[in-house]
Amino acid sequence: MRPDTLARLAAVLAVLVALTLAAALWTRPSKPAALVPATLADDAVRLALDGPAGKVTLERQKSGWTMVGSTQAADGSLVQDVLGKLSKATLSGPVTEDPERYGLFGFAASSATRVKIDSAKAAAALEFYVGRDGPDYPSAFVRVAGQTGVFELSGVSAFELTRAPGEWVKKEAPPPAPQPTPRRTR
C-alpha cells in the first residue's frame, strides 16, 4: 500500500474515533434527579409525617431527636438513617401526571403519607407524599406537593417513611439480668 493511501485511511480512522467519542458524550445519560438536597441528613431540623399509620413530628434538639408532644425520645439513629437514604435517593421521570391514576400508586386520601421536612438552610420546607412501594426494592412512589407528576424514588422504601408513631420511639436497652450471688463454700 502506498504511504499516501495509509495516511488517508489513518485520517478517516481518526475522524471516526472522534465522532464516536462525541456521540458517546452527547448520548450518555444525565445525572439522575434528586428529591432532596444531598446535605439533608445534616441540615434537617424537623420531620413531620402524617398518614394512615398516624401522625408524628420529630425535631432535632442539641441532645438529639425528640418527638413533639411526647415525653419519649425519638430513635435518632433511625431518623438519621432515613434522612441519609433520602439524601442519596434518585427520582425517575414522571410515571404519570393523570390524577385519576393516583390510586394505582397509593395516593388515595386514605393511603398516602404526607412528609414535610424543614431544613436549617432552606427557606421553604420540602413537602411530598409517599404512596406504595415501587417495583424495585427499595423504591417508593412519591408526588411532590403542588405538582401533578408521580415519580419512582429509588433508594428508600415506602415502609421507611410510613411507620407508625410508636416505631420512631427510641428503644431502651433492657436492664441487665440479675447475677446470682456466689455461694461461699467452707
Side-chain angles (χ1 to χ4, degrees):
M1 227 185 267
R2 295 183 8 199
D4 63 330
T5 307
L6 283 176
R8 287 182 188 154
L9 287 174
V12 169
L13 179 63
V15 169
L16 288 174
V17 168
L19 288 174
T20 302
L21 289 174
L25 288 174
W26 284 325
T27 59
R28 82 174 167 198
S30 62
K31 183 179 177 185
L35 176 66
V36 300
T39 59
L40 177 74
D42 297 327
D43 298 341
V45 293
R46 186 179 182 100
L47 174 64
L49 304 152
D50 185 8
K55 183 175 183 176
V56 65
T57 302
L58 308 161
E59 281 188 351
R60 185 189 306 251
Q61 304 292 329
K62 289 181 182 178
S63 60
W65 286 90
T66 60
M67 296 179 71
V68 174
S70 174
T71 58
Q72 298 174 315
D75 186 346
S77 61
L78 176 63
V79 176
Q80 284 302 118
D81 181 53
V82 169
L83 291 174
K85 286 180 180 179
L86 275 173
S87 65
K88 294 174 186 166
T90 58
L91 284 177
S92 70
V95 178
T96 187
E97 293 190 16
D98 182 4
E100 291 185 20
R101 299 185 73 205
Y102 284 174
L104 297 172
F105 302 100
F107 293 108
S110 63
S111 61
T113 297
R114 183 177 140 256
V115 178
K116 185 176 178 185
I117 304 172
D118 293 316
S119 171
K121 295 186 179 176
L126 172 68
E127 187 174 346
F128 61 95
Y129 296 89
V130 178
R132 59 191 343 191
D133 276 322
D136 301 318
Y137 183 82
S139 69
F141 291 112
V142 296
R143 187 174 64 81
V144 177
Q147 296 182 13
T148 58
V150 173
F151 301 88
E152 183 182 351
L153 181 68
S154 296
V156 63
S157 71
F159 165 76
E160 293 176 283
L161 295 165
T162 59
R163 300 172 195 265
E167 294 179 36
W168 294 97
V169 174
K170 185 175 186 175
K171 312 299 187 271
E172 297 295 328
Q179 299 295 323
T181 310
R183 286 187 142 173
R184 289 189 171 187
T185 56
R186 290 190 200 201

